[in-house]
Amino acid sequence: LQAPFTGGEDGLQGVPRGSLFGVVSLASDTAMYYFVALVFVLCFMGISRIVNSPFGQVLKMIRENEPRAISLGYEVDRYKLLAFVLSAALAGLAGGLKTLVMGFATLSDVHWSMSGEVILMTLLGGVGTFFGPVLGSGIVIALQNLLADKVGSWVTVIIGVIFVVCVLAFRKGIVGELQAFRERRQQAAKPAA
């Protein structure tokens, strides 16, 4: 709040977009859109690769049964630290891109409600699913954009109600419930042996 290089309560204002490798100017909204889309696709593919790698399988094992992972000789704390560092790097990249797109960074970007919003997106889409958080974030952002002009500050209340309904009715999130429904249909379609 008090440091002059952070802009204090005003945050960072007028952040220039610059250019990509000094070749492609990111000043236009179209160029910035494609740049952010490219970064998203590359990160999504990278995360997919990590999840399906041996490292990702060890992380899944740690999540499911940490004592067993320890008994198999994995250094669980190192895996957790690396997962934390990777997630922090992705969060930092997302924050940096948001600052470039908007041209400013404010204190609301680091408020606890922003973390709550990310958790809401993940829970709405489906924890433990790959596409769930993407779908959840799309729904929450779309609702915020659609409802902001119509209901003003009630957007937070409406999204909160949706969150409560999701937690009560769709415990696995939208994508998780769809996957569970598909699995039930496949089980029902199998002939009895």
Side-chain angles (χ1 to χ4, degrees):
L1 277 176
Q2 303 301 324
F5 67 90
T6 63
E9 290 185 5
D10 295 332
L12 300 174
Q13 302 289 328
V15 177
R17 288 188 178 172
S19 61
L20 184 62
F21 304 118
V23 178
V24 179
S25 174
L26 297 176
S28 77
D29 289 340
T30 305
M32 193 66 193
Y33 172 81
Y34 285 115
F35 175 66
V36 172
L38 176 68
V39 170
F40 170 76
V41 168
L42 291 175
C43 287
F44 196 78
M45 289 173 23
I47 293 169
S48 175
R49 177 67 184 112
I50 290 171
V51 167
N52 295 316
S53 71
F55 172 74
Q57 297 304 312
V58 172
L59 289 178
K60 287 179 186 177
M61 179 174 48
I62 291 170
R63 179 188 67 200
E64 298 298 326
N65 193 344
E66 186 174 339
R68 184 171 186 197
I70 292 169
S71 70
L72 290 173
Y74 291 104
E75 294 183 42
V76 172
D77 291 335
R78 295 184 87 190
Y79 280 92
K80 287 181 179 180
L81 178 63
L82 187 52
F84 181 76
V85 168
L86 288 172
S87 67
L90 285 172
L93 177 64
L97 286 175
K98 180 181 185 272
T99 301
L100 281 177
V101 168
M102 304 300 277
F104 61 88
T106 63
L107 287 177
S108 64
D109 293 335
V110 293
H111 193 261
W112 67 266
S113 61
M114 185 63 71
S115 297
E117 193 173 294
V118 171
I119 291 171
L120 169 65
M121 292 171 180
T122 304
L123 290 174
L124 183 62
V127 176
T129 63
F130 200 68
F131 293 102
V134 175
L135 177 66
S137 63
I139 291 171
V140 170
I141 297 299
L143 282 172
Q144 286 175 342
N145 290 338
L146 289 172
L147 298 176
D149 294 335
K150 295 179 174 107
V151 294
S153 62
W154 283 90
V155 172
T156 308
V157 174
I158 292 169
I159 290 176
V161 169
I162 291 170
F163 171 68
V164 170
V165 169
C166 180
V167 167
L168 294 175
F170 306 107
R171 297 190 77 75
K172 297 177 183 176
I174 295 170
V175 173
E177 289 294 337
L178 290 173
Q179 287 177 345
F181 176 74
R182 187 181 66 199
E183 289 171 7
R184 285 192 302 269
R185 294 228 14 213
Q186 288 174 348
Q187 291 296 329
K190 287 184 180 178

